[in-house]
Amino acid sequence: MIKMAVLYHSKSGNTCRMAQAIADGMKMVEGVEARIFPIHEPDAAYLAESCCVVMGTPTYLASMSGEMKTWLDGDARRLGLAGKLGGAFATADYVHGGADLAIQGILSHLMVLGMLLYSGGGACGKPVIHLGPVALKDHLEEAEPVFRLYGQRMANQAVKIFG
Ligand SMILES: Cc1cc2nc3c(=O)[nH]c(=O)nc-3n(C[C@H](O)[C@H](O)[C@H](O)COP(=O)(O)O)c2cc1C
């Protein structure tokens, strides 16, 4: 089994719910174990063994949440994420509320941490997910299939590289 993790910040539960959908998609790929953790309660031993770590944030002021940024600036740097496959996702209230910018901000941090970035991009066909999946607060249920598919795509790529 290869291990994968989804780390998230979530104040009112939306981002947590979508983290679970991604992990569910990862687990649909044979030989993959996936778990989710709030950023402030990670299982360091499990993360050390994980070959892929995806991170999610609510969108705050067209950016990642302050909690996510503070965590990325500090604790995340001590998790030994270099060389692992990474990705990012966000939830938001509004379609034009800046979720892609929140995702892009996380992806920049993951590069600084030395991670390998992946989303599938346009190469996996439709539905196209360029930077990472976005779910809107009032449409979480309809976004879940896309989040599961993203999890599957991340897991398929992780198996190709690390399996
Ligand atoms: C301080 C604050 C700022 C926010 N700013 C935005 C924003 O700029 N754009 C947007 O679409 N939603 C914004 N939202 C809404 C959240 O991104 C959205 O409700 C999110 O799904 C909450 O995630 P959570 O339930 O995991 O905490 C904001 C919410 C808060 C509390």
Side-chain angles (χ1 to χ4, degrees), residues 26-46:
M26 289 170 168
K27 285 187 278 194
M28 289 163 81
V29 175
E30 202 183 330
V32 172
E33 178 184 351
R35 292 173 59 190
I36 71 169
F37 304 99
I39 50 172
H40 295 116
E41 298 165 34
D43 178 334
Y46 181 87

Side-chain angles (χ1 to χ4, degrees), residues 4-8 19 22 26 39 51-57 68 71-72 81 83-90 102-111 113-121 129-133 147 150-151 153-155 157-158 162:
M4 302 181 58
V6 184
L7 296 172
Y8 62 89
I22 291 173
M26 289 170 168
I39 50 172
C51 64
C52 174
V53 180
V54 170
M55 300 184 192
T57 182
M68 193 73 192
W71 179 78
L72 284 166
L81 298 175
K84 298 180 191 297
L85 196 64
F89 67 99
I103 291 172
Q104 194 174 37
I106 294 179
L107 295 177
S108 296
H109 272 267
L110 302 194
M111 287 199 78
L113 294 172
M115 297 184 75
L116 314 172
L117 303 189
Y118 186 73
S119 69
I129 302 168
H130 278 164
L131 300 183
F147 275 63
Y150 171 80
R153 290 175 180 177
M154 294 300 290
Q157 189 63 24
F162 302 103

Side-chain angles (χ1 to χ4, degrees), residues 8-18 56-63 65 67 90-99 135-138 140:
Y8 62 89
H9 170 238
S10 184
K11 204 171 241 173
S12 49
N14 302 336
T15 314
C16 173
R17 177 171 169 180
M18 303 322 289
T57 182
T59 304
Y60 284 2
L61 290 301
S63 185
S65 67
E67 287 88 337
T91 66
D93 277 4
Y94 312 112
V95 68
H96 305 299
L136 301 182
K137 174 183 89 164
D138 294 329
L140 297 182

